[in-house]
């Protein structure tokens, strides 16, 4: 406040304003992409299908990053298993998409997906019931990750498992789920997962119109998630969260139920990750157990670290920038990417603990 | 004088056999009954020259001349069965099922006397399966001559099985007693089969089956326990270094798995270097152990002094940073050595299996790894208990500032501790190279399990690490038969989660001031 009165402060806009401007400009630019894709290919502003597909993917990643930022940046819960919640959401929608294929599969079975016919199933397993209805499948994409996070979080938080222990346990969780989903007899397609989807909500998936619709759905979800997270972090709950992150015992002594606070945020965060996965799978057209691999989860954590944790905007910034580098680098020097990613881990933790946002905020008065 | 007699005997024996061999041959060209008889005689004589002839008969490659002489078709050419001279084609000799049965028995018998141990084992197995009372005398003879105890055991089994098929109850009883003294599922199946055919012997057979069941059960338990111990010893090796860096320093090192991987690659390198020198080649594994320790310890020091030192007190950042380092190490090794698996040859004293009493089979390399892990554990405990470095390390753990005031260079102790933990990981890599594929992502498979061991056993307690590793290994292997590998892993994980509910600090929790940090 006092800094803005001085002359120097007046010439420089507040860092928050820069970020907000950047964010809005970025989102607006993203919203334009499917429109530009409709231009004739020789137009100056034409955007290829590839760019639209890739940015749609990044939007889903950004939601995942938001989820991680909410848990890690605000509540200090470093989950190395958010990829599992993401993948579970994806599997829920994937089951719906598989049911919608119906008799159009290779084997032409009216109900069973191809892989089940191939594995000799005669009827649908009980846990596949209901997934023919989109609302049910979509609800499951949020509920299943939420329940898993609820059980795991309840067990962990009530016995005061925090910090690195929690991280290791969440990593073990996603590792175990990966092993489980690789099995054929789980009824989730084994290592091939689900693919070859045909339609969603009555629209064929392989058209430009469907891609644009999914893109806007993801973008709208990103905006809504951002507003939701912002609302939470600005509320009293958000203040308590930060307090729990910085001095949990003190908050407990003040009479707050820290277990409930952490648990609610962890569950919400898992559901957001599930939402991201549910948006991701129709866009990408495939889901397989590789999504559960611990490496994926930890890569998502580094997006948040690079962007700057505890800022929400940073999560978006990190998800987009790290994935941009990844897409760019893997196209011409795939061998280098892992060095760069590893280097990012080291550089961010050692040199930039507050990420890109922290760099921008190093203005006067801070 | 008696030498001459002996000499005569030695010469006389094959001559007699040879005479029998030639006399038996023409029967092969006769009617089916004659053929079967001739085949059995040839088998009983045991002349190795009969093998190609009988094989030709079995495979329909035998022909006969008008005068009854035998011909064999070999690669399109017709030859005389005895002399091997080229001949005109004759009429094909046909066989029926009875002759085929006789042929199987004869092959078994001929092989039984073969100089090649593998052939003798195969013969014993074949006779065990065909189990005809006619083989009894032959097998008795073979058992008496056999010098290899493992083969003799197989032959004894086949003998017992053949006796069980004999018409007389005395022989049957003998067979039942011998079969009941084994721990073989095959023998159990035979006995159950014989039970239906011999109601009079039901009581004896039931007793024998029960005895086998007990032994099989024992064998299963013993083998599961061994597999569990083996897995536990591997977990122990992988977790021990972690227990030092994580437990003692509170530093979580996600690159620990990559230290194990570097140790395994050091083994590969040492083996390559030793390959050219004949006297050095067998020593490459013993050389690898200190080499891997030094290499990974050096990497550990560099990591601690260069990076981790700046992040003390920020465990989550340390976790992320070391994960990145692990990624770089893994990719570096992948670029240097290639992504494919590298071969590490086990020295001969580590190969093969050891047969313990009771039919329990134990693979030698796993046995060595169990021993190795215990030795490493012992050395680690000794280093922490009795060395100057261990004393300083414990002092720093208990109270860093007071230790510094007493003149201990805490920075140096940190570096040494980290080097020590990393070095142990490198030695774990040497052991792992003997049983697992050496590939750049070797360590990732073990890192999560090792953390589970440390969390379960209690952070900062080496005894807890040992008990934790062995418990997890044995429990994992016990669950595997009825839950499958994956579900067993998940069950163990859930079990640890629930266990931590009861004892959040693990099995062996530190008490007192050291626990507060």
């Amino acid at each position: 406040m006092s800094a803005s009165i001085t002359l120097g402060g007046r010439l420089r806009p507040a860092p928050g304003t820069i970020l907000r401007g950047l964010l809005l400009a970025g989102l607006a630019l993203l919203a334009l992409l499917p429109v530009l894709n409709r231009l004739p290919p020789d137009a100056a502003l034409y955007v290829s299908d590839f760019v639209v597909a890739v940015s749609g993917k990044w939007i889903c990643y950004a939601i995942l990053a938001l989820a991680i930022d909410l848990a890690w940046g605000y509540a200090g819960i470093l989950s190395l298993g958010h990829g599992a919640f993401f993948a579970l959401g994806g599997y829920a929608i994937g089951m719906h998409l598989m049911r919608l294929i119906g008799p159009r599969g290779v084997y032409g079975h009216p109900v069973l997906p191809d892989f089940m016919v191939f594995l000799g199933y005669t009827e649908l397993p009980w846990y596949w019931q209901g997934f023919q209805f989109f609302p049910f499948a979509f609800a499951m994409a949020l509920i299943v990750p939420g329940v898993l996070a609820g059980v795991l979080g309840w067990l962990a938080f009530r016995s005061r498992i925090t910090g690195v222990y929690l991280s290791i346990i969440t990593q073990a969780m996603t590792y175990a789920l990966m092993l489980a989903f690789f099995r054929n007899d789980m009824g989730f397609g084994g290592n091939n997962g689900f693919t070859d989807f045909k339609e969603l909500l009555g629209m064929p998936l392989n058209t430009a119109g469907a891609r644009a619709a999914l893109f806007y759905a993801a973008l709208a979800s990103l905006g809504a998630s951002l507003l939701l997270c912002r609302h939470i972090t600005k509320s009293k709950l958000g203040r308590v969260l930060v307090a729990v992150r910085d001095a949990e015992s003190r908050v407990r002594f003040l009479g707050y139920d820290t277990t409930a606070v952490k648990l609610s945020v962890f569950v919400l965060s898992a559901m957001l990750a599930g939402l991201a996965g549910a948006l991701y799978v129709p866009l990408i057209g495939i889901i397989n157990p590789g999504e559960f691999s611990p490496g994926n989860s930890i890569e998502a954590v580094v997006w948040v670290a690079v962007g700057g944790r505890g800022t929400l905007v940073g999560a978006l910034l990190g998800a987009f920038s790290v994935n941009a580098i990844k897409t760019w680098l893997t196209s011409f020097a795939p061998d280098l990417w892992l060095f760069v990613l590893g280097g990012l881990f080291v550089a961010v933790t050692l040199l930039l603990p507050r990420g890109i946002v922290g760099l921008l905020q190093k203005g006067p008065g801070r | 004088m008696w030498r001459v007699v002996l000499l005569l005997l030695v010469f006389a024996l094959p001559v007699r056999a040879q005479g029998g061999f030639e006399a038996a041959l023409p029967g092969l060209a006769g009617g089916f009954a004659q053929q079967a008889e001739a085949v059995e005689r040839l088998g009983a004589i045991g002349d190795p020259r009969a093998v190609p002839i009988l094989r030709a008969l079995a495979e329909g490659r035998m022909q006969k001349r008008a005068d009854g002489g035998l011909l064999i078709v070999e690669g399109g050419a017709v030859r005389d069965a005895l002399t091997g001279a080229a001949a005109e084609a004759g009429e094909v000799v046909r066989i029926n099922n009875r002759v085929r049965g006789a042929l199987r028995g004869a092959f078994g018998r001929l092989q039984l006397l073969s100089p090649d141990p593998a052939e003798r084992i195969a013969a014993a197995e074949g006779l065990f399966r065909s189990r005809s009372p006619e083989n009894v005398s032959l097998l008795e003879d073979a058992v008496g001559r056999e010098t290899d105890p493992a083969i003799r055991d197989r032959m004894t089994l086949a003998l017992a099985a053949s006796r069980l098929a004999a018409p007389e109850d005395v022989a049957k009883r003998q067979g039942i007693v011998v079969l009941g003294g084994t721990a073989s599922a095959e023998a159990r199946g035979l006995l159950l089969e014989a039970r239906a055919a011999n109601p009079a012997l039901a009581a004896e057979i039931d007793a024998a089956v029960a005895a086998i069941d007990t032994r099989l059960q024992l064998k299963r338990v013993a083998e599961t326990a061994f597999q569990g111990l083996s897995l536990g010893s591997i977990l122990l090796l992988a977790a021990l270094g972690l227990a030092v860096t994580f437990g003692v320093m509170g530093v979580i090192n996600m690159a620990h798995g990559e230290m194990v991987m570097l140790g395994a690659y050091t083994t590969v390198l040492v083996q390559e270097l030793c390959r050219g020198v004949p006297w050095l080649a067998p020593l490459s594994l013993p050389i690898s152990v200190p080499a891997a320790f030094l290499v990974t310890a050096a990497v550990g020091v560099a990591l601690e002094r260069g990076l981790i030192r700046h992040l003390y007190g920020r465990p989550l950042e340390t976790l992320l940073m070391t994960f990145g380092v692990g990624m770089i190490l893994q990719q570096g090794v992948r670029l240097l050595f290639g992504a494919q698996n590298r071969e590490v040859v086990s020295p001969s004293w580590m190969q093969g299996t050891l047969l313990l009493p009771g039919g329990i089979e134990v693979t030698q390399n796993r046995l060595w790894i169990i021993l190795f892990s215990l030795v490493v554990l012992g050395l680690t405990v000794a280093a922490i208990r009795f060395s100057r470095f261990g004393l300083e390390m414990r002092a720093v753990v208990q109270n860093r500032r007071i230790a510094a005031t007493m003149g201990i260079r805490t920075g140096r102790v940190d570096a040494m501790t980290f080097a020590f933990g990393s070095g142990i990981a490198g030695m774990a890599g040497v052991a792992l190279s003997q049983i697992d594929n050496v590939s750049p992502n070797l360590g990732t498979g073990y890192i999560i399990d090792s953390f589970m061991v440390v969390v379960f056993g209690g952070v900062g307690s080496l005894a807890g690490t040992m008990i934790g590793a062995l418990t997890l290994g044995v429990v994992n292997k016990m669950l595997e038969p009825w839950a499958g590998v994956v579900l067993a892993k998940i069950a163990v994980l859930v079990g640890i989660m629930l266990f931590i509910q009861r004892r959040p600090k693990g099995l062996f929790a530190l008490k007192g001031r050291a626990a507060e940090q």
Side-chain angles (χ1 to χ4, degrees):
Chain A
M1 285 296 136
S2 60
S4 63
I5 301 169
T6 65
L7 202 62
R10 254 182 208 292
L11 290 178
R12 240 180 239 264
T17 320
I18 302 181
L19 280 174
R20 202 165 301 144
L22 256 174
L23 176 73
L24 288 176
L27 291 180
L29 189 69
L30 278 174
L32 268 179
L33 288 181
V35 178
L36 297 179
N37 183 31
R38 292 300 181 83
L39 291 174
D42 49 355
L45 289 173
Y46 172 73
V47 166
S48 67
D49 287 354
F50 173 75
V51 171
V52 177
V54 164
S55 9
K57 204 164 94 169
W58 294 352
I59 292 172
C60 300
Y61 287 158
I63 300 177
L64 175 61
L66 260 185
I68 292 173
D69 194 19
L70 187 63
W72 182 32
Y74 288 93
I77 307 166
L78 174 56
S79 159
L80 297 182
H82 258 53
F85 303 132
F86 180 84
L88 285 173
Y91 263 96
I93 285 295
M95 284 162 83
H96 175 60
L97 292 165
M98 287 307 268
R99 291 293 307 266
L100 288 184
I101 295 176
R104 281 169 289 180
V106 177
Y107 292 101
H109 194 283
V111 179
L112 293 186
D114 277 345
F115 75 88
M116 286 195 190
V117 181
F118 181 72
L119 289 175
Y121 282 64
T122 50
E123 57 182 21
L124 217 54
W126 60 267
Y127 47 85
W128 274 73
Q129 302 297 340
F131 276 93
Q132 65 268 42
F133 307 114
F134 177 77
F136 179 81
F138 189 73
M140 280 297 153
L142 304 180
I143 291 172
V144 172
V147 168
L148 179 62
V151 172
L152 190 89
W154 185 72
L155 286 177
F157 298 146
R158 70 182 273 274
S159 49
R160 313 247 166 108
I161 296 173
T162 52
V164 288
Y165 292 91
L166 188 80
S167 307
I168 298 296
I169 283 173
T170 50
Q171 184 174 42
M173 173 201 74
T174 188
Y175 184 66
L177 280 172
M178 178 179 76
L179 294 179
F181 272 76
F182 264 120
R183 285 164 57 102
N184 273 332
D185 52 2
M186 281 284 285
F188 293 113
N191 58 352
N192 295 318
F194 305 146
T195 187
D196 212 12
F197 308 133
K198 304 285 188 221
E199 57 169 316
L200 181 64
L201 291 171
M203 53 180 188
L205 278 175
N206 53 357
T207 60
R211 276 197 296 272
L214 288 169
F215 184 92
Y216 283 123
L219 194 58
S221 306
L222 175 62
S225 313
L226 187 60
L227 289 179
L228 175 70
C229 291
R230 205 181 111 85
H231 177 73
I232 291 173
T233 51
K234 296 274 178 205
S235 71
K236 192 181 163 197
L237 174 62
R239 302 283 169 85
V240 178
L241 275 183
V242 174
V244 166
R245 177 190 73 190
D246 293 338
E248 187 175 348
S249 350
R250 202 173 299 177
V251 178
R252 201 182 301 125
F253 297 151
L254 285 173
Y256 286 97
D257 183 355
T258 55
T259 305
V261 170
K262 285 163 84 178
L263 191 59
S264 55
V265 162
F266 191 54
V267 169
L268 179 72
S269 168
M271 289 169 83
L272 270 182
L275 171 72
L279 292 161
Y280 176 82
V281 168
L283 264 171
I284 298 303
I286 184 167
I287 172 88
N288 60 38
E291 296 291 339
F292 283 103
S293 79
N296 280 15
S297 298
I298 208 161
E299 205 177 311
V301 168
V302 98
W303 304 335
V304 180
V306 167
R309 62 180 198 266
T311 58
L312 298 182
V313 182
L316 306 195
L317 216 56
F320 283 110
S321 54
V322 175
N323 279 298
I325 299 173
K326 181 178 183 175
T327 308
W328 172 69
L329 207 60
T330 44
S331 64
F332 76 94
D335 282 343
L336 278 183
W337 163 240
L338 282 178
F339 285 122
V340 171
L341 184 62
L344 272 180
F345 276 102
V346 177
V348 159
T349 47
L350 278 182
L351 309 173
L352 261 189
R354 289 169 57 223
I356 301 175
V357 171
L359 210 62
L360 292 176
Q361 283 176 343
K362 271 186 189 151
R366 301 287 290 185
Chain B
M1 176 64 199
W2 59 271
R3 277 188 193 182
V4 177
V5 173
L6 201 70
L7 211 64
L8 275 176
L9 266 175
V10 167
F11 278 110
L13 264 170
V15 167
R16 188 183 62 83
Q18 212 166 22
F21 170 72
E22 267 146 17
L25 273 187
L28 293 179
F32 290 140
Q34 265 178 300
Q35 275 181 324
E37 192 190 331
V39 167
E40 272 160 20
R41 261 177 71 193
L42 281 173
I45 292 162
D47 190 311
R49 281 180 304 164
V51 175
I53 296 177
L54 291 180
R55 192 155 287 145
L57 181 64
E59 291 165 6
R61 290 187 289 106
M62 180 173 276
Q63 303 182 343
K64 61 181 171 192
R65 279 199 302 265
D67 63 351
L70 292 174
L71 307 169
I72 289 176
V73 184
E74 285 246 53
V78 183
R79 296 182 183 285
D80 189 284
L82 260 183
T83 61
E88 300 260 314
E91 185 196 342
V92 176
V93 178
R94 291 140 74 92
I95 51 175
N96 68 354
N97 276 341
R98 187 174 153 211
V99 182
R100 275 187 205 106
L103 275 169
R104 268 199 296 278
F107 279 135
R109 271 171 252 177
L110 286 171
Q111 277 177 318
L112 208 50
L113 307 172
S114 155
D116 179 3
E119 287 241 322
R120 293 206 299 276
I121 290 183
E125 307 265 325
L127 290 176
F128 179 81
R129 249 170 278 133
S130 65
R131 56 180 186 286
S132 142
E134 291 140 40
N135 297 333
V136 167
S137 59
L138 179 87
L139 277 165
E140 275 170 343
D141 185 35
V143 168
R145 263 195 261 177
E146 188 56 62
T147 48
D148 185 325
I151 304 180
R152 190 159 55 217
D153 283 351
R154 290 300 315 174
M155 288 178 172
T156 316
L157 259 187
L159 176 59
S162 306
R163 280 195 178 132
L164 192 61
E168 315 87 38
D169 277 356
V170 185
K172 275 184 190 167
R173 285 215 172 81
Q174 269 181 316
I176 292 168
V177 169
V178 174
L179 287 177
T182 64
S184 147
E186 281 171 316
R188 186 177 180 276
L190 270 188
L191 284 170
L192 287 180
E193 206 177 285
R195 190 180 186 280
N198 302 290
L201 297 173
E204 274 112 325
I205 291 180
D206 282 345
V209 169
I212 292 182
D213 281 345
T214 318
R215 254 179 238 113
L216 277 179
Q217 187 70 30
L218 253 165
K219 185 181 160 191
R220 253 197 304 276
V221 168
E223 282 181 355
T224 308
F226 176 72
Q227 283 168 357
L229 281 182
S230 163
L231 178 64
S233 68
I234 291 160
L235 287 180
L236 175 61
L237 277 173
L240 206 53
L242 211 58
V244 172
T245 52
F246 180 35
V248 174
M249 296 175 73
V251 164
I252 192 142
N253 180 15
M254 293 298 272
H256 188 78
E258 275 60 46
M259 298 293 181
V260 175
M261 183 263 299
L262 285 181
Y265 272 93
T266 309
T267 317
V268 173
L269 263 183
V270 169
Q271 182 184 271
E272 301 276 315
L273 289 177
C274 290
R275 182 161 289 164
V277 192
W279 62 269
L280 214 53
L283 292 176
S284 82
L285 197 64
I287 295 173
S288 301
V289 176
F293 184 90
L294 291 178
V295 168
T296 48
V299 175
V301 169
L303 181 60
E304 200 276 340
R305 286 290 91 181
L307 302 172
I308 292 176
R309 179 162 66 104
H310 305 291
L311 290 177
Y312 279 137
R314 287 154 70 193
L316 293 182
E317 272 88 346
T318 313
L319 184 153
L320 288 178
M321 198 267 291
T322 49
F323 190 87
V325 170
M327 230 173 216
I328 294 173
L329 286 176
Q330 216 181 86
Q331 183 67 359
V333 167
R334 193 173 289 129
L335 285 187
L336 271 178
F337 291 88
Q340 71 277 25
N341 294 338
R342 296 296 290 247
E343 190 81 23
V344 174
V345 185
S346 296
S348 55
W349 44 268
M350 277 185 74
Q351 288 172 357
T353 54
L354 211 64
L355 201 66
L356 298 185
I360 300 156
E361 285 180 15
V362 167
T363 40
Q364 296 252 33
N365 54 2
R366 289 184 179 267
L367 201 64
W368 278 104
I369 289 175
I370 293 178
L371 284 177
F372 181 66
S373 69
L374 292 178
V375 169
V376 172
L377 176 72
L379 288 178
T380 309
V381 171
I384 291 177
R385 272 276 164 79
F386 305 118
S387 76
R388 172 87 200 170
F389 154 67
L391 183 70
E392 292 183 353
M393 192 178 93
R394 283 180 287 142
V396 172
V397 168
Q398 281 187 4
N399 196 319
R400 178 171 292 266
R401 289 170 71 186
I402 291 184
T405 346
M406 305 299 273
I408 294 173
R409 288 158 66 187
T410 55
R412 197 168 141 269
V413 171
D414 285 339
M416 293 262 291
T417 310
F418 206 82
F420 185 55
S422 304
I424 297 174
M427 295 202 286
V430 179
L432 272 178
S433 73
Q434 297 299 312
I435 52 166
D436 204 344
N437 298 323
V438 179
S439 69
N441 50 5
L442 169 79
T444 40
Y446 293 95
I447 186 78
I448 291 179
D449 286 337
S450 324
F451 273 116
M452 289 297 130
V453 166
V454 176
V455 169
F456 174 64
V459 175
S461 155
L462 290 182
T465 305
M466 186 187 83
I467 304 280
L470 296 184
T471 313
L472 289 193
V474 172
V475 168
N476 228 323
K477 286 293 170 189
M478 260 164 45
L479 288 175
E480 265 178 28
W482 56 270
V485 179
V486 172
L487 287 182
K489 259 204 155 74
I490 296 172
V492 167
L493 197 70
V494 173
I496 291 176
M497 278 295 295
L498 295 177
F499 176 80
I500 294 180
Q501 300 298 306
R502 301 282 314 159
R503 303 190 65 152
K505 301 243 150 130
L507 268 181
F508 290 74
L510 287 182
K511 290 185 183 69
R513 279 201 188 160
E516 310 277 296
Q517 295 164 356

